[in-house]
């Protein structure tokens, strides 16, 4: 990861495909070019049969301080509509493999919304979360009013979105916005460790389990349960199910192959 001009930096570590946001001068503000490169790289990892998990990280100072305000300041309603900047976010939403987020520092506006597109979130104790769009005369536009409300509940989401206040990492984990909080020196190594643990599981089971959890946000309970059962039965068509269960019976570690 060495190219100073690249908007994102990439590398792989075993079956983990790593992406780091790289606009340090503007606290990783998300402009359309960066988002389009990010979506393309996530899709590339999603298609790569050697990658089981995607790890998305910012820097220690900033995960991302939001959509790029300079890029939006002089846009009109029509130009915003025509350029359809959230189409790239839809592509990120469609990624099937688990996405782990390593979050430290500022995680605001579109940054917080990007984090909420991820599946397992490892946050540094210094991370600060918020949807401060209200301070600049707008409101969240990449899912904040919907996903933050599902994560925090109505009263907390209204507080954060209407007052523009920031949540600490302790508040975020308490309210279920992030998965774990760790000391700031370890936020990236912990997220990589968690990614490696997840990548040691069967990749098809991982994808279907993610699909099942996300379905819970889209359906009534009875429909979600029915959907889950079908995903569960489908896994009995995989070699990994046979390997996983036989390995347990034979008291050995399973070797999953993603088949
Ligand atoms: N867009 C563009 N540039 C940004 C930015 C953003 N979202 N956030 C920070 N920057 C830039 C600053 O302009 C500054 O650039 P210069 O050095 O050229 O002046 C640089 O990053 C460092 O920022 P600060 O000097 O402001 O750093 P700070 O430590 O004093 O404050 C901060 C940090 C509280 C995060 C502050 O930068 C801030 O409030 N940023 C904006 C946060 C925000 O409003 N985010 C929402 C954006 S709108 C959105 O995201 C819409 C959506 O739903 C998709």
């Amino acid at each position: 990861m060495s190219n100073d001009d690249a908007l994102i930096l990439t590398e792989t570590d075993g079956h983990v495909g790593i992406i780091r946001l790289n606009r340090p001068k503007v606290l990783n503000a998300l402009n359309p070019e960066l988002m389009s490169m990010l979506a393309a790289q996530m899709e590339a990892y999603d298609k790569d049969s050697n990658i089981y998990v995607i790890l998305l990280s910012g820097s220690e100072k900033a995960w991302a301080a939001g959509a790029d305000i300079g890029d939006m300041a002089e846009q009109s309603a029509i130009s915003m509509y025509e350029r359809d900047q959230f189409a790239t976010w839809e592509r990120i939403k469609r990624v099937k493999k688990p996405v782990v987020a390593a979050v430290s520092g500022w995680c605001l506006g579109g940054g917080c919304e990007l984090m909420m597109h991820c599946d397992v979130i490892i946050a540094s104790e210094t991370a600060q979360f918020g949807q401060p769009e209200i301070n600049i005369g707008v409101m969240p536009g990449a899912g904040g009013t919907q996903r933050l409300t599902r994560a925090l509940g109505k009263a907390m989401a209204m507080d954060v979105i209407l007052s523009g206040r920031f949540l600490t990492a302790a508040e975020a984990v308490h309210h279920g916005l992030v998965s774990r909080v760790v000391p700031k020196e370890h936020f990236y190594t912990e997220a990589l460790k968690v990614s490696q643990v997840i990548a040691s599981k069967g990749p098809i089971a991982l994808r279907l389990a993610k699909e099942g959890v996300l379905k819970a946000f889209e359906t009534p309970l009875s429909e979600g349960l029915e959907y889950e059962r079908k995903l569960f039965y489908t896994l009995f068509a995989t070699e990994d199910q046979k390997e996983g269960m036989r390995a347990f019976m034979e008291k050995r570690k399973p070797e999953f192959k993603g088949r």
Side-chain angles (χ1 to χ4, degrees), residues 39-55:
Q41 186 59 49
M42 289 180 85
E43 285 171 341
Y45 281 150
D46 213 25
K47 283 199 198 107
D48 183 340
S49 57
N50 193 44
I51 296 298
Y52 298 175
V53 174
I54 299 169
L55 170 57

PDB file of all heavy atoms in Angstrom, residues 39-55:
ATOM      1  N   ALA A  39     -16.479   1.094  -5.130  1.00  0.00           N
ATOM      2  CA  ALA A  39     -17.497   0.129  -5.569  1.00  0.00           C
ATOM      3  C   ALA A  39     -16.874  -0.888  -6.530  1.00  0.00           C
ATOM      4  O   ALA A  39     -17.112  -2.096  -6.424  1.00  0.00           O
ATOM      5  CB  ALA A  39     -18.663   0.859  -6.225  1.00  0.00           C
ATOM      6  N   ALA A  40     -16.041  -0.400  -7.454  1.00  0.00           N
ATOM      7  CA  ALA A  40     -15.433  -1.297  -8.445  1.00  0.00           C
ATOM      8  C   ALA A  40     -14.521  -2.315  -7.755  1.00  0.00           C
ATOM      9  O   ALA A  40     -14.518  -3.508  -8.083  1.00  0.00           O
ATOM     10  CB  ALA A  40     -14.650  -0.491  -9.470  1.00  0.00           C
ATOM     11  N   GLN A  41     -13.735  -1.860  -6.768  1.00  0.00           N
ATOM     12  CA  GLN A  41     -12.826  -2.775  -6.076  1.00  0.00           C
ATOM     13  C   GLN A  41     -13.602  -3.790  -5.229  1.00  0.00           C
ATOM     14  O   GLN A  41     -13.253  -4.964  -5.179  1.00  0.00           O
ATOM     15  CB  GLN A  41     -11.845  -1.983  -5.201  1.00  0.00           C
ATOM     16  CG  GLN A  41     -10.779  -2.846  -4.550  1.00  0.00           C
ATOM     17  CD  GLN A  41      -9.922  -3.604  -5.562  1.00  0.00           C
ATOM     18  OE1 GLN A  41      -9.424  -3.021  -6.522  1.00  0.00           O
ATOM     19  NE2 GLN A  41      -9.768  -4.916  -5.372  1.00  0.00           N
ATOM     20  N   MET A  42     -14.670  -3.328  -4.601  1.00  0.00           N
ATOM     21  CA  MET A  42     -15.465  -4.264  -3.799  1.00  0.00           C
ATOM     22  C   MET A  42     -16.116  -5.316  -4.698  1.00  0.00           C
ATOM     23  O   MET A  42     -16.165  -6.494  -4.359  1.00  0.00           O
ATOM     24  CB  MET A  42     -16.514  -3.512  -2.969  1.00  0.00           C
ATOM     25  CG  MET A  42     -15.847  -2.728  -1.843  1.00  0.00           C
ATOM     26  SD  MET A  42     -16.991  -1.821  -0.819  1.00  0.00           S
ATOM     27  CE  MET A  42     -17.492  -3.085   0.343  1.00  0.00           C
ATOM     28  N   GLU A  43     -16.580  -4.883  -5.863  1.00  0.00           N
ATOM     29  CA  GLU A  43     -17.166  -5.855  -6.812  1.00  0.00           C
ATOM     30  C   GLU A  43     -16.101  -6.829  -7.298  1.00  0.00           C
ATOM     31  O   GLU A  43     -16.371  -8.025  -7.460  1.00  0.00           O
ATOM     32  CB  GLU A  43     -17.775  -5.105  -8.003  1.00  0.00           C
ATOM     33  CG  GLU A  43     -19.079  -4.427  -7.655  1.00  0.00           C
ATOM     34  CD  GLU A  43     -19.605  -3.501  -8.756  1.00  0.00           C
ATOM     35  OE1 GLU A  43     -18.824  -3.098  -9.639  1.00  0.00           O
ATOM     36  OE2 GLU A  43     -20.792  -3.160  -8.713  1.00  0.00           O
ATOM     37  N   ALA A  44     -14.876  -6.316  -7.509  1.00  0.00           N
ATOM     38  CA  ALA A  44     -13.800  -7.203  -7.982  1.00  0.00           C
ATOM     39  C   ALA A  44     -13.492  -8.264  -6.918  1.00  0.00           C
ATOM     40  O   ALA A  44     -13.357  -9.454  -7.223  1.00  0.00           O
ATOM     41  CB  ALA A  44     -12.554  -6.384  -8.304  1.00  0.00           C
ATOM     42  N   TYR A  45     -13.403  -7.853  -5.657  1.00  0.00           N
ATOM     43  CA  TYR A  45     -13.174  -8.829  -4.576  1.00  0.00           C
ATOM     44  C   TYR A  45     -14.362  -9.793  -4.459  1.00  0.00           C
ATOM     45  O   TYR A  45     -14.195 -10.969  -4.168  1.00  0.00           O
ATOM     46  CB  TYR A  45     -12.984  -8.104  -3.239  1.00  0.00           C
ATOM     47  CG  TYR A  45     -11.606  -7.498  -2.996  1.00  0.00           C
ATOM     48  CD1 TYR A  45     -11.477  -6.354  -2.212  1.00  0.00           C
ATOM     49  CD2 TYR A  45     -10.446  -8.075  -3.506  1.00  0.00           C
ATOM     50  CE1 TYR A  45     -10.229  -5.789  -1.952  1.00  0.00           C
ATOM     51  CE2 TYR A  45      -9.193  -7.514  -3.252  1.00  0.00           C
ATOM     52  CZ  TYR A  45      -9.089  -6.374  -2.477  1.00  0.00           C
ATOM     53  OH  TYR A  45      -7.856  -5.825  -2.212  1.00  0.00           O
ATOM     54  N   ASP A  46     -15.557  -9.258  -4.677  1.00  0.00           N
ATOM     55  CA  ASP A  46     -16.758 -10.095  -4.554  1.00  0.00           C
ATOM     56  C   ASP A  46     -16.740 -11.221  -5.592  1.00  0.00           C
ATOM     57  O   ASP A  46     -17.239 -12.310  -5.357  1.00  0.00           O
ATOM     58  CB  ASP A  46     -18.011  -9.217  -4.735  1.00  0.00           C
ATOM     59  CG  ASP A  46     -19.185  -9.698  -3.899  1.00  0.00           C
ATOM     60  OD1 ASP A  46     -18.948 -10.361  -2.860  1.00  0.00           O
ATOM     61  OD2 ASP A  46     -20.342  -9.421  -4.265  1.00  0.00           O
ATOM     62  N   LYS A  47     -16.119 -10.943  -6.747  1.00  0.00           N
ATOM     63  CA  LYS A  47     -16.076 -11.942  -7.830  1.00  0.00           C
ATOM     64  C   LYS A  47     -14.865 -12.853  -7.709  1.00  0.00           C
ATOM     65  O   LYS A  47     -14.798 -13.892  -8.351  1.00  0.00           O
ATOM     66  CB  LYS A  47     -15.983 -11.224  -9.183  1.00  0.00           C
ATOM     67  CG  LYS A  47     -17.295 -10.653  -9.625  1.00  0.00           C
ATOM     68  CD  LYS A  47     -17.276 -10.386 -11.138  1.00  0.00           C
ATOM     69  CE  LYS A  47     -18.385  -9.426 -11.509  1.00  0.00           C
ATOM     70  NZ  LYS A  47     -17.908  -8.082 -11.849  1.00  0.00           N
ATOM     71  N   ASP A  48     -13.860 -12.465  -6.926  1.00  0.00           N
ATOM     72  CA  ASP A  48     -12.595 -13.199  -6.840  1.00  0.00           C
ATOM     73  C   ASP A  48     -12.762 -14.409  -5.914  1.00  0.00           C
ATOM     74  O   ASP A  48     -12.977 -14.261  -4.714  1.00  0.00           O
ATOM     75  CB  ASP A  48     -11.530 -12.223  -6.292  1.00  0.00           C
ATOM     76  CG  ASP A  48     -10.150 -12.845  -6.228  1.00  0.00           C
ATOM     77  OD1 ASP A  48     -10.050 -14.090  -6.230  1.00  0.00           O
ATOM     78  OD2 ASP A  48      -9.177 -12.082  -6.151  1.00  0.00           O
ATOM     79  N   SER A  49     -12.623 -15.616  -6.498  1.00  0.00           N
ATOM     80  CA  SER A  49     -12.914 -16.814  -5.691  1.00  0.00           C
ATOM     81  C   SER A  49     -11.864 -17.051  -4.602  1.00  0.00           C
ATOM     82  O   SER A  49     -12.070 -17.862  -3.704  1.00  0.00           O
ATOM     83  CB  SER A  49     -13.040 -18.037  -6.598  1.00  0.00           C
ATOM     84  OG  SER A  49     -11.847 -18.166  -7.334  1.00  0.00           O
ATOM     85  N   ASN A  50     -10.744 -16.351  -4.663  1.00  0.00           N
ATOM     86  CA  ASN A  50      -9.724 -16.502  -3.611  1.00  0.00           C
ATOM     87  C   ASN A  50     -10.008 -15.591  -2.405  1.00  0.00           C
ATOM     88  O   ASN A  50      -9.386 -15.746  -1.356  1.00  0.00           O
ATOM     89  CB  ASN A  50      -8.339 -16.179  -4.195  1.00  0.00           C
ATOM     90  CG  ASN A  50      -7.234 -16.607  -3.266  1.00  0.00           C
ATOM     91  OD1 ASN A  50      -7.283 -17.714  -2.719  1.00  0.00           O
ATOM     92  ND2 ASN A  50      -6.259 -15.736  -3.039  1.00  0.00           N
ATOM     93  N   ILE A  51     -10.916 -14.641  -2.559  1.00  0.00           N
ATOM     94  CA  ILE A  51     -11.248 -13.704  -1.465  1.00  0.00           C
ATOM     95  C   ILE A  51     -12.551 -14.148  -0.796  1.00  0.00           C
ATOM     96  O   ILE A  51     -13.560 -14.335  -1.463  1.00  0.00           O
ATOM     97  CB  ILE A  51     -11.397 -12.259  -2.030  1.00  0.00           C
ATOM     98  CG1 ILE A  51     -10.074 -11.763  -2.610  1.00  0.00           C
ATOM     99  CG2 ILE A  51     -11.917 -11.294  -0.948  1.00  0.00           C
ATOM    100  CD1 ILE A  51      -8.925 -11.647  -1.629  1.00  0.00           C
ATOM    101  N   TYR A  52     -12.503 -14.302   0.529  1.00  0.00           N
ATOM    102  CA  TYR A  52     -13.706 -14.722   1.272  1.00  0.00           C
ATOM    103  C   TYR A  52     -14.315 -13.558   2.060  1.00  0.00           C
ATOM    104  O   TYR A  52     -15.503 -13.574   2.374  1.00  0.00           O
ATOM    105  CB  TYR A  52     -13.371 -15.833   2.268  1.00  0.00           C
ATOM    106  CG  TYR A  52     -12.858 -17.117   1.658  1.00  0.00           C
ATOM    107  CD1 TYR A  52     -12.416 -18.162   2.475  1.00  0.00           C
ATOM    108  CD2 TYR A  52     -12.835 -17.318   0.275  1.00  0.00           C
ATOM    109  CE1 TYR A  52     -11.950 -19.349   1.943  1.00  0.00           C
ATOM    110  CE2 TYR A  52     -12.365 -18.507  -0.265  1.00  0.00           C
ATOM    111  CZ  TYR A  52     -11.920 -19.512   0.567  1.00  0.00           C
ATOM    112  OH  TYR A  52     -11.460 -20.679   0.041  1.00  0.00           O
ATOM    113  N   VAL A  53     -13.460 -12.586   2.449  1.00  0.00           N
ATOM    114  CA  VAL A  53     -13.904 -11.483   3.300  1.00  0.00           C
ATOM    115  C   VAL A  53     -13.252 -10.199   2.785  1.00  0.00           C
ATOM    116  O   VAL A  53     -12.104 -10.220   2.343  1.00  0.00           O
ATOM    117  CB  VAL A  53     -13.454 -11.715   4.777  1.00  0.00           C
ATOM    118  CG1 VAL A  53     -13.780 -10.512   5.648  1.00  0.00           C
ATOM    119  CG2 VAL A  53     -14.105 -12.960   5.347  1.00  0.00           C
ATOM    120  N   ILE A  54     -13.995  -9.085   2.861  1.00  0.00           N
ATOM    121  CA  ILE A  54     -13.435  -7.786   2.475  1.00  0.00           C
ATOM    122  C   ILE A  54     -13.236  -6.962   3.743  1.00  0.00           C
ATOM    123  O   ILE A  54     -14.135  -6.901   4.591  1.00  0.00           O
ATOM    124  CB  ILE A  54     -14.395  -7.060   1.502  1.00  0.00           C
ATOM    125  CG1 ILE A  54     -14.586  -7.901   0.230  1.00  0.00           C
ATOM    126  CG2 ILE A  54     -13.872  -5.654   1.157  1.00  0.00           C
ATOM    127  CD1 ILE A  54     -15.700  -7.424  -0.686  1.00  0.00           C
ATOM    128  N   LEU A  55     -12.057  -6.377   3.884  1.00  0.00           N
ATOM    129  CA  LEU A  55     -11.768  -5.505   5.028  1.00  0.00           C
ATOM    130  C   LEU A  55     -11.632  -4.082   4.510  1.00  0.00           C
ATOM    131  O   LEU A  55     -10.782  -3.799   3.659  1.00  0.00           O
ATOM    132  CB  LEU A  55     -10.477  -5.948   5.721  1.00  0.00           C
ATOM    133  CG  LEU A  55      -9.910  -5.005   6.795  1.00  0.00           C
ATOM    134  CD1 LEU A  55     -10.925  -4.730   7.905  1.00  0.00           C
ATOM    135  CD2 LEU A  55      -8.629  -5.595   7.398  1.00  0.00           C
TER     136      LEU A  55
END
